[in-house]
Amino acid sequence: MAAELIRQVKAYAWLQRAAWKASFAYRGNTANTIVGVAAVQGAQLLFIGVLLDRFGAVAGWSIPEVALLYGMRLTAHGICTTCFGQHTAVAIMLREGYYDRFLLRPVNPFLQVLTARFNLGTLGDLGLGLTILAVAAPAAPVRWTPLTVSFLAGAVLGGGLVEAGVQIALSGLSFRVSMFSAKATVSTVFTDFGAYPMTIFGHAGAHALTFALPLAFVAYLPCTVILGRTAELVVPAWLAYGAPLAGPLLLYAGYRFFIRQSRHYVSTGN
Amino acid sequence: MRYGRPPASAAIIAKAAKSVLIYRSDILVGIVSLALRVVLVHLVWQALYAGDASVAGIGRDDAIGYAILGAIFNVTFQPWHFSSLMSRVSDGTVVFDLIRPVGLITLSLGQQFGAVLAGFPRALIGMAVALALGAVPPPTGVATALAFVVSSLLGLAIALLCNLLVAMTAFWTTEIYGAIMVYHMAAAFCSGALIPLWFMPGPLATALSCLPFSAQVFTPLSIYLGREPDMHTLASIGGQLVWVVALAGLSRLVWRRALLRVVIHGG
Amino acid sequence: MRSLFTTRRVVTKAVDGVSMTVGPGEMVGYLGPNGAGKSTTIKMLTGVLVPTSGRVEVNGLVPWRDRRANARAIGVVFGQRTQLWQDLPLRDSFELVAKLYGMGRNRYLSRLAAFTDLLDLGPFIDTPVRSLSLGQRMRGDLAAAMLHEPPLLYLDEPTVGLDVVAKARIRDFIANLNADTGTTVILTTHDIADVERLCRRAVIIDEGRVAYDGDLDALRRRYLPYRELAVIVQPPLPEWDIPGVELVDTVAHHGHVILNVRHDPLMLSTPEAIGRITARVAVVDLTVKEPDLEQVIHRIYTAR
């Protein structure tokens, strides 16, 4: 069992390296993709920038506090897209019949889906996220200690896995139905509403965005721990302290769901 | 540029709308998604205003109403689902379109319009949710409603023509993925679908109002939230008309060039 | 709105009651018209598809259940779709395959050297797969499929779209592989020449059922019971009265006459038939026509 796990992890590394190398085959496209991703995040940044400029604070959170939250969310998103982003392509792979070849190799097909390509643009998400974190962290009212820094690191890693777990589960549904809108919806909710203090969504909204869609685990819950704002939570504070652990759990759940759904796979004609 | 006979165009529009509607579960999710979005945007903007009645001279109700209408317009008029023209140029199937008895421009615009049309029920449901929440005030009168509808349709025409122009760049370069993303985000931001131009710093707002994007969303929304229509409203609609004519002319020009390119590169 | 919640599903059986056993070292041609269920069968054998009922067993493994173990024991080539990494040099695909199948460095290098030699991969091994010709790509795919020395090779239309030279090269490679290492080969194709060159046994399926399973020679005998000869003679036309040899038709040809005749090889051997003919008529030339397998297959397809 352990040997098999090691073999699969190694396979992931080899395949990811090949995908990384292949991503440089089209230089023009690479530059293009990076520009595109920068545009998406840039528009988002402008949006938040204009809002903060006009309104100053959101739900009692100062500008540096919201910036820290935003940086955490974007970094987590970058981790999700760089390491797990390719799962979204599974619908296309199924339609075009590429999925078959993953079943012919002695490697977990899910890993082969993840490593079919490497989207260099996703590095834009990660880079911008880290930059914002680097700018916001010193400005935020936090006394940084090794403990808080490692909590922050664990939180953004875990946050990335939370998003990946949810998205991977949705991608798993592609084996049965077209879920394009659902995936687009969830990813825009993650992108557009993940960087606000959840109190603005009210009691019910905050619960829904914690338990129905685990958006709060991505950045908000751990951020309240770092900022010492756990008192404002509508959920128990231990959830916020344990938030980084939600990532691996949700990723595993999403992966299991994906694999279950993949049993419904019906190969296309040729 | 040839315009197809009406029956042919209608068939294309219907087919495009149908191909979107065929993914039923997707449609349901799309409706729920927009409704959810309306609620969330409402909550965010309520929180932003907190206790204030007015920020930067803009009243709370206007700002919230605008943000929600903007979200609905963004989803409906500026969909990710882009003209199929691009992929058909890059994989070469565009030659089959060229031998059809319907002009390619008609075909592309028809397909886009069909896709938007398929999103209308969703937009109406989103609107109903917003009205029920009291997040968007009902229009101030029949004249306002009428002016809003006219201005929205013109805004849609401008959005479709802009999309077409971007899609036609595929004739010159196949690597336009990044450009598309830039365009999409620029359109969302510059049209005022994300934030009303009111909130933007003065020079930026002025610059943006000179681009065709603000005519897509900001103009109709300002009319909706404004008082009784006046000369200013008519001027705005007139401005939109100018954009439609200008963009149609421009796409005709670009199309001629593109066709030349196809002929030269033929085979 | 009601139809929003219902989905219709039409069940078509692609393969129904196909039963066959393939022994080690055999080379089997798996034939059938488009949509007969060839690819479906191959996909079930390789573990890509799960059969709704029935039993599939390969070397004691159930392919879809023991997918990974099965994958190690088989090589698969789809003519229509490459399994190589398109954007990378061909060599990178081999390296990856070697790693994924857990091959040692030395074993990999010696296998690669052998294949480079046999398939003449040298000139293009460092070219990105995307830029290879179809023939080169197929050779690359074959090498990648056989790198880990599986005892069993599935080929799904390996020569589709190739020119005559490339086809011959692929066929020779497969024949050698079978002769040297006893690799079992299951081959689907539309090109009968592939089967005639490589296989002794043919399985023909049609509409998801086995229409024929057996020797190629027996197949010819069953569907083409007569051996045909073309006899060229000087006019005037002789009276045809040779026991055991039947005159089918006569054709005028550049001042000669071609007599198309046939005999049943079970009743009268071909040399004996030729002897009887030359004894009775003045023969200018004579050819024995090869039984046309294509015609046989066509007859099976249309005889349903």
Side-chain angles (χ1 to χ4, degrees):
Chain A
M1 196 60 202
E4 180 60 25
L5 190 68
I6 290 168
R7 198 157 45 217
Q8 297 297 328
V9 169
K10 272 186 178 168
Y12 175 82
W14 290 323
L15 290 166
Q16 193 70 283
R17 200 165 64 200
W20 166 259
K21 191 176 166 191
S23 68
F24 290 98
Y26 307 93
R27 278 171 205 287
N29 234 347
T30 303
N32 232 294
T33 311
I34 290 175
V35 168
V37 168
V40 172
Q41 298 303 342
Q44 194 64 27
L45 207 60
L46 266 175
F47 175 68
I48 297 268
V50 171
L51 278 194
L52 289 180
D53 177 51
R54 288 289 150 172
F55 293 92
V58 180
W61 288 43
S62 67
I63 292 180
E65 287 176 312
V66 176
L68 181 70
L69 177 62
Y70 183 67
M72 285 176 70
R73 205 222 58 88
L74 190 54
T75 308
H77 178 69
I79 287 166
C80 169
T81 50
T82 44
C83 301
F84 305 95
Q86 281 305 307
H87 67 81
T88 51
V90 76
I92 299 164
M93 293 173 185
L94 291 172
R95 201 177 54 216
E96 314 262 308
Y98 286 118
Y99 191 75
D100 281 0
R101 71 177 213 182
F102 299 152
L103 295 171
L104 296 172
R105 296 198 185 118
V107 179
N108 187 329
F110 175 69
L111 292 185
Q112 296 185 67
V113 168
L114 291 187
T115 54
R117 258 190 81 223
F118 185 82
N119 182 354
L120 282 173
T122 55
L123 290 177
D125 291 339
L126 191 60
L128 191 59
L130 286 169
T131 310
I132 293 170
L133 267 190
V135 173
V142 179
R143 210 168 54 78
W144 293 103
T145 63
L147 193 67
T148 44
V149 170
S150 42
F151 185 81
L152 176 70
V156 291
L157 263 175
L161 302 191
V162 166
E163 189 176 341
V166 173
Q167 296 277 17
I168 285 165
L170 280 172
S171 282
L173 287 173
S174 309
F175 286 103
R176 309 178 69 174
V177 280
S178 161
M179 290 311 283
F180 181 76
S181 288
K183 278 198 297 198
T185 301
V186 171
S187 72
T188 54
V189 167
F190 270 80
T191 305
D192 296 350
F193 301 103
Y196 296 107
M198 294 281 149
T199 46
I200 69 173
F201 300 117
H203 199 78
H207 271 101
L209 292 177
T210 306
F211 300 113
L213 188 69
L215 178 62
F217 289 94
V218 175
Y220 171 66
L221 286 178
C223 196
T224 59
V225 173
I226 293 171
L227 294 172
R229 286 181 165 274
T230 47
E232 73 173 46
L233 292 177
V234 296
V235 296
W238 61 264
L239 267 179
Y241 285 98
L245 296 177
L249 288 177
L250 276 166
L251 178 65
Y252 184 70
Y255 163 72
R256 293 302 311 172
F257 185 78
F258 182 95
I259 293 295
R260 272 191 86 83
Q261 295 302 309
S262 75
R263 296 195 187 130
H264 294 276
Y265 173 60
V266 178
S267 170
T268 48
N270 239 314
Chain B
M1 176 157 56
R2 280 193 299 136
Y3 288 99
R5 287 162 295 121
S9 314
I12 292 160
I13 295 167
K15 194 159 164 268
K18 208 171 159 188
S19 74
V20 172
L21 283 170
I22 218 150
Y23 298 99
R24 294 166 188 154
S25 54
D26 238 31
I27 298 302
L28 277 180
V29 172
I31 290 171
V32 174
S33 145
L34 184 59
L36 182 71
R37 199 171 181 78
V38 165
V39 174
L40 290 177
V41 169
H42 186 200
L43 292 171
V44 167
W45 282 80
Q46 271 183 330
L48 284 174
Y49 264 84
D52 305 335
S54 150
V55 170
I58 307 302
R60 184 173 178 274
D61 293 345
D62 279 352
I64 293 176
Y66 184 100
I68 288 170
L69 286 175
I72 296 173
F73 267 59
N74 181 221
V75 170
T76 313
F77 283 8
Q78 303 172 319
W80 275 112
H81 181 84
F82 230 82
S83 162
S84 60
L85 182 63
M86 245 170 330
S87 59
R88 298 186 70 82
V89 171
S90 60
D91 66 13
T93 40
V94 71
V95 292
F96 301 116
D97 298 332
L98 289 171
I99 58 174
R100 280 188 205 181
V102 183
L104 187 59
I105 297 263
T106 316
L107 196 74
S108 179
L109 283 177
Q111 278 169 346
Q112 281 192 63
F113 185 59
V116 169
L117 215 57
F120 266 22
R122 182 172 62 165
L124 290 177
I125 291 172
M127 191 73 192
V129 170
L131 286 169
L133 284 174
V136 171
T140 47
V142 180
T144 308
L146 213 65
F148 169 68
V149 169
V150 170
S151 177
S152 298
L153 290 175
L154 286 172
L156 175 61
I158 294 168
L160 295 188
L161 284 167
C162 285
N163 280 359
L164 179 69
L165 273 169
V166 173
M168 279 198 288
T169 58
F171 282 102
W172 282 269
T173 169
T174 49
E175 292 174 348
I176 51 173
Y177 173 74
I180 298 302
M181 300 266 272
V182 172
Y183 164 73
H184 189 82
M185 294 324 290
F189 186 79
C190 301
S191 65
L194 298 180
I195 312 179
L197 299 190
W198 306 318
F199 287 115
M200 305 207 185
L204 182 61
T206 316
L208 292 185
S209 62
C210 297
L211 296 176
F213 302 112
S214 64
Q216 293 176 13
V217 178
F218 183 68
T219 305
L221 296 200
S222 313
I223 290 174
Y224 186 96
L225 294 167
R227 304 289 149 239
E228 284 299 306
D230 51 14
M231 283 311 289
H232 192 72
T233 312
L234 279 179
S236 307
I237 291 180
Q240 285 183 304
L241 269 172
V242 171
W243 272 121
V244 170
V245 172
L247 289 168
L250 187 61
S251 45
R252 190 194 176 98
L253 204 73
V254 174
W255 169 240
R256 284 241 178 95
R257 290 280 178 118
L259 204 59
L260 217 61
R261 235 186 120 71
V262 173
V263 174
I264 292 165
H265 285 252
Chain C
M1 260 326 246
R2 219 191 117 178
S3 67
L4 212 55
F5 299 96
T6 56
T7 45
R8 247 170 301 160
R9 183 169 285 188
V10 180
V11 177
T12 325
K13 283 186 179 168
V15 174
D16 188 10
V18 168
S19 177
M20 59 192 241
T21 307
V22 177
E26 253 192 299
M27 289 215 269
V28 180
Y30 196 50
L31 304 163
N34 289 331
K38 296 191 299 288
S39 287
T40 306
T41 313
I42 296 288
K43 282 177 180 171
M44 287 194 292
L45 288 169
T46 51
V48 169
L49 274 184
V50 182
T52 42
S53 65
R55 206 167 69 99
V56 180
E57 203 174 282
V58 178
N59 282 332
L61 297 173
V62 178
W64 57 272
R65 203 183 293 140
D66 314 306
R67 209 183 45 72
R68 265 177 245 172
N70 183 59
R72 290 179 180 281
I74 62 170
V76 191
V77 174
F78 290 106
Q80 313 263 21
R81 181 166 292 148
T82 182
Q83 292 173 68
L84 303 167
W85 278 260
Q86 295 263 18
D87 298 321
L88 298 176
L90 182 56
R91 189 191 298 277
D92 289 30
S93 285
F94 295 147
E95 303 245 339
L96 269 169
V97 165
K99 282 177 183 160
L100 296 180
Y101 285 81
M103 292 175 74
R105 190 76 193 159
N106 288 337
R107 189 169 143 234
Y108 159 63
L109 288 176
S110 75
R111 288 288 284 181
L112 183 64
F115 283 144
T116 307
D117 198 32
L118 279 173
L119 288 163
D120 196 18
L121 304 174
F124 53 88
I125 195 163
D126 291 310
T127 308
V129 172
R130 199 176 283 286
S131 324
L132 298 182
S133 74
L134 188 58
Q136 294 172 332
R137 204 214 77 202
M138 270 313 303
R139 275 139 73 191
D141 256 312
L142 258 177
M146 292 307 296
L147 205 59
H148 62 290
E149 294 181 79
L152 176 56
L153 173 62
Y154 298 104
L155 299 163
D156 195 3
E157 302 198 31
T159 57
V160 68
L162 298 184
D163 63 48
V164 188
V165 180
K167 276 185 184 182
R169 183 172 229 143
I170 301 274
R171 285 172 194 150
D172 289 348
F173 176 76
I174 298 164
N176 285 337
L177 204 64
N178 174 263
D180 296 348
T181 58
T183 308
T184 310
V185 178
I186 296 179
L187 163 82
T188 81
T189 184
H190 283 294
D191 189 340
I192 305 302
D194 287 345
V195 180
E196 294 198 286
R197 165 77 174 84
L198 294 170
C199 308
R200 285 189 52 199
R201 175 178 166 198
V203 176
I204 300 176
I205 71 161
D206 191 19
E207 296 190 319
R209 291 166 194 279
V210 175
Y212 179 85
D213 181 354
D215 225 41
L216 272 187
D217 291 333
L219 179 69
R220 288 196 192 96
R221 273 204 299 281
R222 185 159 125 201
Y223 286 90
L224 295 174
Y226 297 104
R227 197 55 58 84
E228 296 188 357
L229 307 175
V231 185
I232 302 178
V233 297
Q234 292 279 14
L237 212 58
E239 177 88 358
W240 193 266
D241 180 26
I242 301 170
V245 184
E246 184 190 342
L247 180 66
V248 182
D249 60 359
T250 57
V251 186
H253 180 74
H254 297 306
H256 298 303
V257 177
I258 302 175
L259 305 172
N260 287 313
V261 301
R262 66 183 197 182
H263 66 99
D264 184 344
L266 293 181
M267 309 291 285
L268 179 72
S269 78
T270 304
E272 219 175 311
I274 294 172
R276 283 188 193 180
I277 295 167
T278 46
R280 299 283 287 271
V281 279
V283 174
V284 176
D285 198 0
L286 185 148
T287 43
V288 182
K289 291 191 203 166
E290 274 299 314
D292 184 359
L293 199 56
E294 189 107 33
Q295 211 179 318
V296 174
I297 308 286
H298 182 72
R299 221 185 274 181
I300 293 177
Y301 292 170
T302 49
R304 48 187 176 213

